[in-house]
Amino acid sequence: MSVLFSIFVISDKILNNHFMRKISIIFFISFAITLNLSAQLFPEVVSGRLIRHENFHSAFVEPRNIDIWLPEGYTPENKYAVIYMHDGQMLFDSSTTWNRHDWEVDETLGRLMSEKKVKPCIVVGIWNTPKRHMEYFPQKALNYLSENQIDSLMNANRGEGTPKLFDGGIVADNYLKFLVTELKPFIDKTYATHTDSGNTYIMGSSMGGLISMYAICEYPEVFGGAACLSTHWPGVFTVENNPVPGALLSYLREHLPPPGKHLLYFDFGTETLDNLYEPFQNHADQILKEKGYGENDWITRKFVGADHSEKAWSQRLHIPVMFLLGLD
């Protein structure tokens, strides 16, 4: 077991169970609303155009919609980098999301490309499903937990009266197989893409930040960069006596790809759920330093006053995009 388990000390204010219950229930209700709204409405984009591949079949995970954003002037005559983004129904149009907020991906990417600040790219928005937590939780982190800790984890939920987070098991390895062996070949065949790792990126927030970190560790030959916004290091919705952050960080220490050929971006805010993350991110940063990562291939940013929402992520999306795809 990692000694990291014993050194995460969080203030009583952060560990307040009432606070965590409120956050968890809000997340549970909002997720259900998101699935309903997104299924009914097709996003409108301000810049570029959107193509939807409905109910994309997989041998590894449940079917889901895949939204492809193509920039203004997209042409098969050119080649484009690719950003794979999780929680695809939250990326483009606030009128289709539960909280009337979105990442504003089309606005931000369109502006940065028109200003020639980043290389041309397309975005692959991968919808989540009711198995979001099961698909986004780094599966091999379980190797750093005891059997009793795993049993406890499997019974975790968002709050009293809500379903278990992992009812059906953790399937992140199958989710990544879907991305790498099914979705990416389809994207590269269907669209004009650069197929190498130096032009293939993965990005997400919260649990999407965790699975993005996991993806670049598991498939460093596929993904050249990962952006992990508001990374949900607790893994579940409590931090008190929670061994998950230590397990995730032990996994990171042993599986982080060597520096020099990969780019890693992390960040966190200071409000709502993001208020939990700084101590864990500090330990992740220490691991990156020990492994030789520096300012040329890794940055972590703290955003004082930022909360855990698409609105907050949209306001800083340009930073990880420019770090990963920026033109010198």
Side-chain angles (χ1 to χ4, degrees), residues 36 100 120 147 227 254 262 266 279 325 327:
N36 185 49
R100 300 305 182 191
E147 289 187 11
E254 295 190 8
H262 298 87
F266 290 93
L325 291 90
L327 296 172

Side-chain angles (χ1 to χ4, degrees), residues 127-160:
W127 280 41
N128 61 43
T129 74
K131 293 186 176 181
R132 179 178 185 269
H133 228 85
M134 293 174 258
E135 292 180 342
Y136 289 6
F137 188 98
Q139 193 164 345
K140 290 186 175 62
L142 297 179
N143 295 335
Y144 302 90
L145 297 174
S146 69
E147 289 187 11
N148 287 339
Q149 288 169 333
I150 293 173
D151 289 342
S152 178
L153 181 65
M154 292 302 104
N155 287 312
N157 58 20
R158 299 174 186 271
E160 187 176 350

Side-chain angles (χ1 to χ4, degrees), residues 13-250:
K13 179 180 179 182
I14 295 177
L15 290 175
N16 184 276
N17 287 332
H18 178 65
F19 166 78
M20 290 304 298
R21 279 198 302 271
K22 287 173 66 178
I23 291 292
S24 300
I25 292 170
I26 289 170
F27 266 59
F28 177 68
I29 294 172
S30 65
F31 177 75
I33 296 173
T34 297
L35 288 178
N36 185 49
L37 282 175
S38 299
Q40 296 177 30
L41 302 173
F42 189 85
E44 294 185 6
V45 293
V46 174
S47 173
R49 61 190 175 103
L50 203 64
I51 297 173
R52 173 164 296 169
H53 299 278
E54 293 189 352
N55 295 316
F56 192 94
H57 177 75
S58 168
F60 299 106
V61 294
E62 292 182 356
R64 71 206 56 218
N65 292 344
I66 305 294
D67 288 343
I68 313 297
W69 180 79
L70 305 177
E72 296 285 351
Y74 171 87
T75 170
E77 305 301 319
N78 297 328
K79 296 288 186 181
Y80 297 81
V82 185
I83 307 175
Y84 290 86
M85 296 186 70
H86 313 288
D87 297 314
Q89 57 264 63
M90 302 297 292
L91 302 180
F92 301 108
D93 183 355
S94 62
S95 71
T96 67
T97 65
W98 71 271
N99 58 3
R100 300 305 182 191
H101 297 153
D102 71 277
W103 280 66
E104 299 183 5
V105 168
D106 51 313
E107 292 97 326
T108 299
L109 269 293
R111 174 174 56 81
L112 292 176
M113 273 185 262
S114 68
E115 295 172 353
K116 301 195 182 305
K117 291 183 178 180
V118 298
K119 55 188 175 183
C121 69
I122 69 173
V123 174
V124 179
I126 309 151
W127 280 41
N128 61 43
T129 74
K131 293 186 176 181
R132 179 178 185 269
H133 228 85
M134 293 174 258
E135 292 180 342
Y136 289 6
F137 188 98
Q139 193 164 345
K140 290 186 175 62
L142 297 179
N143 295 335
Y144 302 90
L145 297 174
S146 69
E147 289 187 11
N148 287 339
Q149 288 169 333
I150 293 173
D151 289 342
S152 178
L153 181 65
M154 292 302 104
N155 287 312
N157 58 20
R158 299 174 186 271
E160 187 176 350
T162 62
K164 293 178 181 179
L165 294 171
F166 304 109
D167 190 10
I170 294 172
V171 293
D173 288 348
N174 275 349
Y175 178 71
L176 293 185
K177 287 178 183 177
F178 157 61
L179 296 190
V180 170
T181 69
E182 295 177 330
L183 182 58
K184 186 179 186 298
F186 171 80
I187 296 299
D188 291 339
K189 180 181 178 180
T190 308
Y191 299 95
T193 65
H194 291 292
T195 62
D196 61 297
S197 63
N199 286 285
T200 306
Y201 309 95
I202 193 159
M203 180 183 299
S205 62
S206 193
M207 290 299 293
L210 280 184
I211 192 63
S212 296
M213 177 273 289
Y214 192 52
I216 200 170
C217 289
E218 290 293 294
Y219 293 95
E221 74 283 3
V222 174
F223 300 106
C228 313
L229 288 72
S230 297
T231 309
H232 190 60
W233 295 108
V236 292
F237 290 91
T238 181
V239 291
E240 191 170 12
N241 299 319
N242 181 3
V244 169
L248 291 169
L249 291 165
S250 293

Side-chain angles (χ1 to χ4, degrees), residues 232-281:
H232 190 60
W233 295 108
V236 292
F237 290 91
T238 181
V239 291
E240 191 170 12
N241 299 319
N242 181 3
V244 169
L248 291 169
L249 291 165
S250 293
Y251 168 85
L252 180 65
R253 183 185 296 278
E254 295 190 8
H255 295 86
L256 185 70
K261 293 184 178 180
H262 298 87
L263 300 173
L264 284 167
Y265 172 92
F266 290 93
D267 73 22
F268 58 94
T270 60
E271 302 300 322
T272 62
L273 202 56
D274 273 39
N275 192 32
L276 303 174
Y277 298 153
E278 184 169 7
F280 309 123
Q281 187 60 55

